[in-house]
Amino acid sequence: MFGRTIARQLSPTALRRSLSTSAGSGLQINSDRLLETLHHTCQWGAAHRYGDGPTETGMARLCLTDDDAKVRRWLRDEVEKLGCTVTIDQMGNMFARQQGSLGSPASMTAMGSHLDTQPRGGRYDGILGVIAALEVLRTMQENGFRTNYDIGLVNWTNEEGARFPKSMCSSGVWAGAIPVESAWGLTDIFNPAVTLRSELERHGFFGQVACSHDPATGYPLGAHFELHIEQGPILEEAGKSVGVVRGAQGYRWLTITVAGRDAHTGTTPLAARRDPLLAASKMIVASNTVAKKYGALASTGVLKLPRSSSTNTVASDVTFTLDIRHPQDRIVRAVQDECLQTFADIAREDGKGVSFDWTLDTDSAAVEFDENCLRAVQDAATHLVGADKLMEVTSGAGHDSVYTSRHCPTAMIFVPCKEGVSHHPEEYCSPTDCSLGTQTLLEAVVNYDRMRGEQGLL
């Protein structure tokens, strides 16, 4: 069997020859085309070169920038060439639909992820999932293969939340977890005059269909499968080829604002100061201590000082973010509560003290994915790589699948990334792993399509 003899170091060409010997769907993705297409799309937003090779750059393709609009238009053209019907909703989510052989009105089985990146991101996070879905559709079309039920691709808007600060934003609106007006009103992190809605309208991606899972007004899905790099080192360190993702840990994003008072650093004694930067620094360190106590994660990714700050002036105020994560929601809440109590104590510690306020920006509960979708993935992975090369994992990061799982059967597939590095220009997934993940995606959606008919999963 292919899966029990393949080596991780196979070239894409050798992998393609091996895939052709497997059973399952009888289909074989084009590994060379997959990689060529992925890197072709990275011309829009390539940045942060770290080597001399043509693909040795990271990505800076933030949501609804000009580069994001260009890759979106390219994607629309490519799926229309395959005969897909393209629908764009009022959050710019792109749904490409390929009709199944039954002509059923049931919602499509979707393969989805996102094309936007972090400011210093890589070429695989999100992007691989969309391009893999495109390769699955291309493979089916060129082989005259039709699933029983409609199948398609989704490109979700503003998954990263890097430019408009709310992660998994549009899938959250689709799921009913984020009010659409709130999402439309999100402002560019560096230019508050620019909103998410104004950029949707500027680029022509403000669709006519409501961003909703409601079949009466929006675009419901029959299932959602997402291929993604792991973004961590677990698969690589364990020597596993495929991760069957059983769910995702919970997380919360908070914004903390610490207010003090401007003062001259040379004439104001420490006892007379209200120093928000000193307090914020202590709070960030304290959050790390609290997280360790609970076996959780706490991180600060943004720290803002007023533009008027200077070397010889105590700052007037400081804002920082706090990201808390754990597989159990009760632990996430406990870390948040203890952090806020500790911050209150710190606010009173130095000089005349400071005040602080906080907002909860994102609350993403832990989720467990659908058992039938998981079985479709597990059967595909077992067939391709063997049981000893797959691993059940829980996602440490949030993904659009977290929100889709609230309203349709959902599962994710992880493939290893080098040293677990992600959200970094040198993020890397080998051609073999990209190809194997894409073949697993194809086999999983074919497996699930068969289940839909056999078990009435409509």
Side-chain angles (χ1 to χ4, degrees), residues 359-376:
T359 59
L360 178 62
D361 303 319
T362 300
D363 184 2
S364 179
V367 300
E368 294 183 1
F369 292 143
D370 177 77
E371 286 296 331
N372 285 309
C373 287
L374 288 170
R375 183 156 62 87

Side-chain angles (χ1 to χ4, degrees), residues 174-245:
W174 179 89
I178 300 172
V180 68
E181 294 286 351
S182 172
W184 283 338
L186 290 170
T187 57
D188 184 305
I189 192 168
F190 295 115
N191 185 356
V194 174
T195 67
L196 190 148
R197 176 165 180 163
S198 70
E199 289 293 83
L200 285 171
E201 293 172 339
R202 180 170 76 91
H203 291 301
F205 281 96
F206 187 86
Q208 299 302 306
V209 175
C211 181
S212 173
H213 62 279
D214 185 347
T217 58
Y219 204 98
L221 299 176
H224 186 266
F225 289 83
E226 183 171 7
L227 171 64
H228 209 282
I229 60 171
E230 182 196 353
Q231 300 182 277
I234 295 172
L235 291 176
E236 184 180 64
E237 290 179 354
K240 304 299 183 182
S241 300
V242 177
V244 180
V245 186

Side-chain angles (χ1 to χ4, degrees), residues 81-331:
K81 289 177 186 176
L82 299 175
C84 294
T85 302
V86 178
T87 301
I88 299 174
D89 70 16
Q90 291 183 339
M91 282 296 294
N93 295 319
M94 303 174 68
F95 302 90
R97 186 168 186 148
Q98 190 176 81
Q99 190 173 26
S101 62
L102 297 179
S104 170
S107 301
M108 74 176 183
T109 296
M111 301 169 286
S113 200
H114 59 96
L115 290 172
D116 65 314
T117 76
Q118 290 286 329
R120 282 181 53 81
R123 291 175 166 245
Y124 302 89
D125 175 1
I127 300 170
L128 175 61
V130 176
I131 302 307
L134 176 62
E135 175 57 32
V136 170
L137 294 178
R138 284 173 168 175
T139 298
M140 290 181 175
Q141 193 266 351
E142 70 187 5
N143 285 278
F145 182 94
R146 296 179 70 186
T147 51
N148 296 310
Y149 298 89
D150 292 4
I151 191 171
L153 173 156
V154 185
N155 173 37
W156 297 101
T157 300
N158 196 39
E159 192 276 348
E160 293 290 0
R163 184 185 182 195
F164 302 103
K166 189 172 286 291
S167 67
M168 299 128 62
C169 177
S170 296
S171 55
V173 174
W174 179 89
I178 300 172
V180 68
E181 294 286 351
S182 172
W184 283 338
L186 290 170
T187 57
D188 184 305
I189 192 168
F190 295 115
N191 185 356
V194 174
T195 67
L196 190 148
R197 176 165 180 163
S198 70
E199 289 293 83
L200 285 171
E201 293 172 339
R202 180 170 76 91
H203 291 301
F205 281 96
F206 187 86
Q208 299 302 306
V209 175
C211 181
S212 173
H213 62 279
D214 185 347
T217 58
Y219 204 98
L221 299 176
H224 186 266
F225 289 83
E226 183 171 7
L227 171 64
H228 209 282
I229 60 171
E230 182 196 353
Q231 300 182 277
I234 295 172
L235 291 176
E236 184 180 64
E237 290 179 354
K240 304 299 183 182
S241 300
V242 177
V244 180
V245 186
R246 295 207 61 86
Q249 67 180 345
Y251 72 92
R252 290 186 177 187
W253 285 5
L254 289 76
T255 297
I256 314 294
T257 301
V258 186
R261 185 175 64 186
D262 309 72
H264 194 296
T265 58
T267 62
T268 310
L270 293 177
R273 295 185 184 185
R274 294 189 173 98
D275 188 340
L277 183 53
L278 176 62
S281 300
K282 289 185 174 184
M283 291 173 183
I284 293 168
V285 172
S287 71
N288 182 264
T289 301
V290 173
K292 287 180 179 178
K293 173 182 172 181
Y294 287 91
L297 300 171
S299 309
T300 292
V302 176
L303 180 66
K304 291 184 179 180
L305 278 73
R307 292 183 180 274
S308 59
S309 298
S310 69
T311 302
N312 62 336
T313 302
V314 174
S316 58
D317 59 87
V318 174
T319 299
F320 67 93
T321 58
L322 184 63
D323 177 318
I324 303 170
R325 302 186 187 233
H326 192 274
Q328 297 179 41
D329 293 328
R330 65 178 182 83
I331 299 297

